[in-house]
Amino acid sequence: GENVEQHPSTLSVQEGDSAVIKCTYSDSASNYFPWYKQELGKGPQLIIDIRSNVGEKKDQRIAVTLNKTAKHFSLHITETQPEDSAVYFCAALTGGFKTIFGAGTRLFVKA
Amino acid sequence: EPEVTQTPSHQVTQMGQEVILRCVPISNHLYFYWYRQILGQKVEFLVSFYNNEISEKSEIFDDQFSVERPDGSNFTLKIRSTKLEDSAMYFCASSAAGVYEQYFGPGTRLTVT
């Protein structure tokens, strides 16, 4: 069935460094790839997304890249800040309405 | 900024009881979703709903689950006879017509004892 793999499960960086989270998906028909940030006790918050007809998208310190051939997509956070500390989930929309989530990456940004 | 709201924030119920989780999606959104997240695990898709019908559901969404839009603002998830393994955070989400972006509510923590 559809699956999204996410790595690493935990990532610790120093404030100001970059963080990279990688995901792979199994369903070649997937056409939309959102990234969510989840803080403790809250629901997932959409932070950036990319569609299958685009290779890269950037929004201030956050960027996402997509390699459709390899079925890989990645989140890049530059100049990390302590408030970036959270759990990040990648996801892939398969079919019309079903979103499959990765297992999550717990990001720690040390001041 | 409009947001998805969910009630209650925490629901405790005994095994075998029925529960109804409530959501108020963003007002101009037409697509509605339920997800669950067992503690420490990934977010799992349960069901999507559009035009008063289920659009898609996962294998988790069995006969014990049902969804309803009883009026113009609420969207509910009912679990008929709760099991211990139904304990989880349940998130409602909504999206507008013609766009993929889904916006999540803060969740309802369901504890089945």
Side-chain angles (χ1 to χ4, degrees), chain A residues 37-108:
Chain A
K37 177 182 181 182
Q38 187 177 31
E39 295 173 306
L40 196 62
K42 297 186 178 180
Q45 178 191 7
L46 179 69
I47 55 171
I48 196 168
D49 56 16
I50 191 166
R51 286 161 175 73
S52 58
N53 59 347
V54 174
E56 185 172 354
K57 182 177 177 181
K58 189 172 182 180
D59 183 4
Q60 299 182 345
R61 297 187 295 110
I62 296 173
V64 58
T65 59
L66 172 65
N67 181 331
K68 278 190 63 179
T69 304
K71 291 191 275 187
H72 290 172
F73 57 116
S74 301
L75 178 72
H76 304 251
I77 306 174
T78 58
E79 300 171 30
T80 52
Q81 300 166 4
E83 51 265 38
D84 294 330
S85 296
V87 179
Y88 291 82
F89 290 97
C90 63
L93 183 68
T94 66
F97 301 97
K98 188 175 183 180
T99 302
I100 305 297
F101 281 74
T105 296
R106 187 170 297 278
L107 174 65
F108 296 98

Side-chain angles (χ1 to χ4, degrees), chain A residues 12-49:
Chain A
S12 185
V13 300
Q14 203 68 36
E15 182 179 2
D17 287 351
S18 295
V20 180
I21 303 170
K22 298 183 179 183
C23 291
T24 60
Y25 60 98
S26 61
D27 188 351
S28 55
S30 297
N31 57 356
Y32 173 68
F33 306 91
W35 286 88
Y36 293 91
K37 177 182 181 182
Q38 187 177 31
E39 295 173 306
L40 196 62
K42 297 186 178 180
Q45 178 191 7
L46 179 69
I47 55 171
I48 196 168
D49 56 16

